């Protein structure tokens, strides 16, 4: 059976970046590693497939050769094995050595620890000004007893007698011999005969860690702050995952955060201010300022103060504050107010605001 396309194996697009390929690989290898799926033959085969695909696609030179249909293409659904005419482009032993592991050293990649996520609650002023908070994170961390080796103190892991410490073993497929992760040690190259009594040989144990996290000024609700290397530790010395801190910002009674990094404030204005124009005082993050309301302002009009919003995440200045002007209609009027309003209405009798609306509606009915 022909090998599957390496991009299909990892579930990534052919134009995927090296970082995207790495993230996907780390997720898949955690899910299908033999240590987490004991006795699951399907998971073991999938793990081998993932390792083979990543070994090629994580190396820029191998990936370029694979994409161009060169030496690696025949093993992953590419355009052919070798160059034009089907000839081999390099020594077959070098091809498999490069593809499935360097001679004399383990071929499998160390298993990375899981990424973790936690949430932190912030007041609106804290989010705008920036702050530093403490978070407690339950995680699988390196065992203090064995130092993460998984072996009982005073002992050490032994070289795997099946693969000789290389972490890979050959599987004959006709003319070729294809290397794959060792079925006995899972690709680690070592066997733990005397497991650590504290962690049971995993090199990890459940712990709660505390970290101080700097929250940048202007952080939005739902924003994720990445703390590199503070996720779960990888088993048996594998690299640590990352910690993502999600900011939960309490709503402000005045300011609303917008998706573009700006703020919005609803400002009530009177009928007289909307009709005749006015200068009104409005709140800012640092105090108050005055804005001009033009004569004839409509309900819902927006004015903007540039640079009065929160700091932008990319460090390029500050955002803006948008003021949405809403005309406030009084529910009750005094006798003098009613008299003044009636007087105003009499002076406006020469203008019917619905005249054009009714004319258009009448014209529409005539056409029907």
């Amino acid at each position: 059976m022909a090998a599957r396309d390496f991009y299909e194996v990892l579930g990534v697009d052919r134009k995927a970046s090296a970082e995207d390929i790495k993230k996907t690989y780390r997720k898949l290898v955690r899910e299908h590693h033999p240590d987490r799926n004991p006795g699951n033959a399907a998971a073991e085969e999938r793990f081998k497939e993932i390792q083979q695909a990543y070994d090629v696609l994580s190396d820029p030179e191998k990936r370029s050769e694979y994409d161009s249909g060169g030496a690696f293409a025949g093993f992953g659904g590419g355009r052919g094995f070798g160059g034009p005419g089907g000839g081999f482009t390099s020594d077959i032993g070098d091809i498999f050595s490069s593809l499935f592991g360097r001679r004399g050293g383990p071929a499998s990649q160390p298993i990375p620890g899981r990424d973790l996520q936690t949430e932190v609650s912030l007041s609106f002023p804290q989010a705008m000004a920036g702050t530093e908070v403490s978070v407690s994170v339950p995680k699988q961390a390196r065992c203090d007893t064995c130092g993460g080796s998984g072996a009982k103190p005073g002992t050490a892991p032994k070289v795997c007698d099946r693969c000789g410490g290389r972490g890979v073993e050959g599987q004959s497929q006709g003319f070729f011999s294809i290397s794959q992760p060792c079925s006995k040690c899972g690709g680690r190259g070592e066997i733990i005969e005397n497991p650590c009594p504290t962690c049971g040989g995993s090199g990890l144990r459940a712990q709660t860690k505390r970290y101080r996290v700097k929250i940048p000024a202007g952080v939005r609700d739902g924003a994720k702050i990445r703390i590199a290397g503070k996720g779960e530790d990888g088993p048996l010395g594998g690299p640590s995952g990352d910690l993502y801190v999600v900011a939960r910002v309490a709503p402000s009674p005045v300011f609303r955060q917008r998706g573009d990094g700006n703020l919005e404030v609803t400002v009530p204005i009177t009928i007289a201010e909307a009709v005749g124009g006015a200068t009104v005082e409005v709140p800012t993050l640092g105090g108050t300022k005055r804005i001009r309301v033009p004569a004839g302002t409509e309900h819902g009009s927006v004015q903007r103060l540039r640079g009065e919003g929160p700091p932008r995440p990319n460090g390029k200045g500050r955002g803006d504050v948008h003021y949405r002007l809403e005309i406030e209609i009084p529910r009750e009027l005094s006798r003098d107010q009613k008299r003044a309003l009636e007087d105003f209405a009499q002076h406006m009798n020469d203008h019917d605001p619905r005249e054009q609306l009714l004319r258009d509606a009448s014209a529409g009915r005539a056409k029907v």
Side-chain angles (χ1 to χ4, degrees), residues 250-313:
S252 163
V254 176
F255 300 95
R256 289 186 301 278
Q257 289 184 304
R258 293 161 48 112
D260 56 7
N262 298 319
L263 298 177
E264 184 174 281
V265 179
T266 298
V267 180
I269 59 175
T270 66
I271 296 175
E273 289 170 335
V275 174
T279 298
V280 300
E281 190 174 22
V282 294
T284 65
L285 290 176
T288 63
K289 288 204 170 184
R290 299 178 74 82
I291 62 172
R292 178 65 186 169
V293 178
T297 292
E298 295 183 354
H299 183 84
S301 297
V302 176
Q303 297 275 42
R304 176 171 61 177
L305 282 180
R306 296 181 182 273
E308 291 294 335
R312 297 190 183 279

Side-chain angles (χ1 to χ4, degrees), residues 184-229:
K184 185 172 184 179
C185 66
R188 293 189 300 270
E190 298 177 328
I191 297 292
I192 299 175
E193 293 185 342
N194 298 290
C196 169
T198 302
C199 65
S202 69
L204 302 172
R205 59 176 303 195
Q207 302 179 38
T208 297
K209 297 287 187 178
R210 292 181 64 85
Y211 301 110
R212 298 291 295 176
V213 181
K214 290 184 177 180
I215 306 297
V219 68
R220 297 196 302 273
D221 180 59
K224 288 185 178 182
I225 301 162
R226 175 175 172 266
I227 313 297

Side-chain angles (χ1 to χ4, degrees), residues 150-179:
K152 181 180 179 180
T155 69
K158 293 186 177 181
V159 175
C160 175
D161 57 7
R162 181 182 293 274
C163 65
R166 295 183 65 241
V168 293
E169 58 182 331
Q171 182 180 30
S172 179
Q173 293 189 0
F175 179 73
F176 302 111
S177 177
I178 297 179
S179 296

Side-chain angles (χ1 to χ4, degrees), residues 275 296 298 343-359:
V275 174
E298 295 183 354
D343 185 53
F344 175 77
Q346 288 178 359
H347 286 81
M348 294 294 292
N349 280 341
D350 60 338
H351 173 67
D352 183 355
R354 293 171 293 281
E355 181 180 355
Q356 186 62 44
L357 171 67
L358 296 174
R359 186 182 298 116

